[in-house]
Amino acid sequence: MNFITNSLKLSRNFPSIRNLSASTSQVRIYEVGPRDGLQNESKLVPTDVKVELIHKLAEAGLKDIESASFVSPKWVKQMADGKDVMNTIKRVPGVNYPVLVPNLKGYSIARQCNAEEVAIFPAGSEGFSQKNLNCSVEEGLRRFKEVADQAVKDGVRVRGYVSCVVGCPYDGPVSPKAIAKITEDLLSMGCYEVSLGDTIGVGTAGSVQRLLREVLTVAKPEQLALHFHDTYGQGLSNLLAGLEFGITTVDSSISGLGGCPYARGASGNLATEDLVYFLYGLGVNTDLDLVKLVEAGRYISNFLGKPTESKVNRALSDRFKNHKDVVQMASCAV
Ligand SMILES: CC(C)(COP(=O)([O-])OP(=O)([O-])OC[C@H]1O[C@@H](n2cnc3c(N)ncnc32)[C@H](O)[C@@H]1OP(=O)([O-])[O-])[C@@H](O)C(=O)NCCC(=O)NCCSC(=O)C[C@@](C)(O)CC(=O)[O-]
């Protein structure tokens, strides 16, 4: 209660939770399960399982599904079959299948399999840049600019990520000003959107507000996306803080999978099922079928042989067999 009161006071100039659904009628969900969700899994997931997962996510109505990464297979073995994944999926018209690339080599492989959108991912801190990309932040930005320049020339959409936007597992707290600067750099390279990644999930609504106040001095809300790992269970409250600033693109991962092999202590992303249930409750439209998302989450969790990280997926029993029942439950309309 105190948090909501304080947050309303702090964000007087932004839509409050009471009129959030009126001002934020649609939220775009950018699904990262097949990439961020799987990259940290030690059990190798065969290509056909990845492909089936992507098909299930598209069937549930997701329109942005980050499907692979073209990083060095020596660094992330789980993603080594990206080309096969991209060449096997049946692409649904209107669905976007972006891929992550660290350099021109990755970009060129992405293009060979007709990726129409690539994501570049500088780090917000020196320590994480060295561990994740084997170079400084500055050198990372230089390499990512090469990718962005080529992509812009080719008419390929470029999305930017900044990782460790709140805290770094090696350097500690990260300054919002540093993140604003990298966001500005990514936008000037031609990124249509920058996703702010709390890679190790240490953010709170308070630190997210401080971050956004700074980043929104260089970017418009519609140029930003929120990417929260849920390590400390703050994902949904952080999201609410972000929605209050008018940001309406959110990254999430089916079944709450996720993590980065080079970010010590990183755990799964905000679960797509939990996010959708939360948005139903606010009356925000997502055009997604939660029942099908739950099925997709169960499919991949069963394959991995581990319980889902999504609380909604765990809680939904067979009593809620269809979409309407679940919407009613989320909206407390029963
Ligand atoms: C950047 C590098 C490549 C530098 O790695 P390096 O070892 O310094 O690079 P290199 O140029 O010396 O190359 C080493 C070998 O990799 C090959 N190589 C080089 N590039 C590629 C490529 N694209 N595709 C395929 N092969 C490649 C290259 O050809 C060479 O092969 P060799 O000659 O030894 O046989 C490496 O550090 C890397 O791949 N890092 C990526 C790590 C990663 O994927 N991390 C997870 C994603 S980031 C994340 O999860 C955060 C995010 C985005 O989700 C946001 C959030 O959660 O907050």
Side-chain angles (χ1 to χ4, degrees):
M1 199 61 199
N2 272 348
F3 155 65
I4 292 181
T5 318
N6 288 338
S7 114
L8 290 177
K9 266 192 224 145
L10 285 167
S11 58
R12 272 198 305 278
N13 300 326
F14 300 96
S16 76
I17 184 163
R18 275 172 298 189
N19 62 13
L20 192 62
S21 56
S23 58
T24 307
S25 59
Q26 181 92 33
V27 164
R28 169 177 165 248
I29 298 183
Y30 181 102
E31 170 65 40
V32 295
R35 193 278 302 170
D36 197 340
L38 296 182
Q39 70 186 7
N40 205 28
E41 289 298 326
S42 50
K43 177 174 175 180
L44 273 187
V45 180
T47 307
D48 60 330
V49 174
K50 291 176 181 165
V51 167
E52 181 64 18
L53 174 64
I54 293 167
H55 289 168
K56 285 183 182 298
L57 294 169
E59 265 169 44
L62 285 157
K63 296 280 183 270
D64 295 277
I65 306 171
E66 200 169 86
S67 298
S69 71
F70 294 106
V71 298
S72 167
K74 291 184 180 145
W75 283 63
V76 186
K77 203 164 162 216
Q78 181 68 264
M79 294 284 111
D81 62 345
K83 210 169 164 180
D84 295 336
V85 170
M86 290 302 283
N87 285 334
T88 312
I89 51 173
K90 290 196 182 71
R91 299 185 198 200
V92 177
V95 177
N96 182 29
Y97 301 91
V99 298
L100 199 77
V101 298
N103 49 24
L104 278 174
K105 178 160 187 168
Y107 176 77
S108 135
I109 304 171
R111 288 301 286 151
Q112 285 163 29
C113 38
N114 300 317
E116 289 171 350
E117 179 174 324
V118 295
I120 56 180
F121 54 104
S125 63
E126 283 302 328
F128 185 61
S129 190
Q130 291 294 347
K131 296 276 185 201
N132 199 43
L133 297 166
N134 206 19
C135 66
S136 65
V137 172
E138 198 185 336
E139 172 60 13
L141 284 167
R142 194 195 59 74
R143 290 182 199 168
F144 286 125
K145 184 170 182 322
E146 285 179 349
V147 174
D149 285 349
Q150 189 57 49
V152 168
K153 231 185 257 169
D154 297 344
V156 169
R157 277 156 57 94
V158 191
R159 186 180 208 241
Y161 279 102
V162 189
S163 45
C164 294
V165 293
V166 179
C168 166
Y170 311 103
D171 300 353
V174 173
S175 126
K177 275 198 191 318
I179 303 305
K181 173 73 181 69
I182 298 172
T183 302
E184 199 174 16
D185 289 346
L186 286 170
L187 291 173
S188 72
M189 287 180 203
C191 291
Y192 75 91
E193 171 174 280
V194 175
S195 174
L196 301 170
D198 180 12
T199 314
I200 53 170
V202 287
T204 60
S207 51
V208 167
Q209 285 177 328
R210 286 190 285 281
L211 169 72
L212 293 178
R213 279 201 202 93
E214 197 63 49
V215 175
L216 284 165
T217 63
V218 301
K220 298 185 189 123
E222 58 272 25
Q223 292 175 308
L224 297 176
L226 302 165
H227 180 109
F228 296 123
H229 287 257
D230 207 21
T231 320
Y232 288 78
Q234 305 295 302
L236 284 177
S237 53
N238 290 348
L239 165 68
L240 188 53
L243 292 178
E244 286 193 298
F245 282 82
I247 299 171
T248 56
T249 295
V250 185
D251 299 357
S252 63
S253 174
I254 197 69
S255 201
L257 292 168
C260 172
Y262 296 100
R264 195 178 56 206
S267 75
N269 288 267
L270 176 58
T272 308
E273 301 93 310
D274 298 4
L275 168 62
V276 170
Y277 186 85
F278 170 83
L279 292 172
Y280 278 175
L282 281 176
V284 173
N285 182 24
T286 64
D287 289 333
L288 290 173
D289 185 325
L290 183 52
V291 172
K292 287 193 174 160
L293 286 174
V294 165
E295 282 165 13
R298 288 183 184 170
Y299 169 76
I300 192 63
S301 299
N302 286 343
F303 175 81
L304 293 169
K306 59 185 211 183
T308 175
E309 292 294 328
S310 159
K311 288 221 163 56
V312 167
N313 201 328
R314 248 182 271 155
L316 279 181
S317 68
D318 291 339
R319 186 157 87 82
F320 300 105
K321 284 221 166 46
N322 66 50
H323 191 240
K324 201 169 134 236
D325 289 343
V326 183
V327 175
Q328 278 186 335
M329 178 69 178
S331 322
C332 295
V334 276

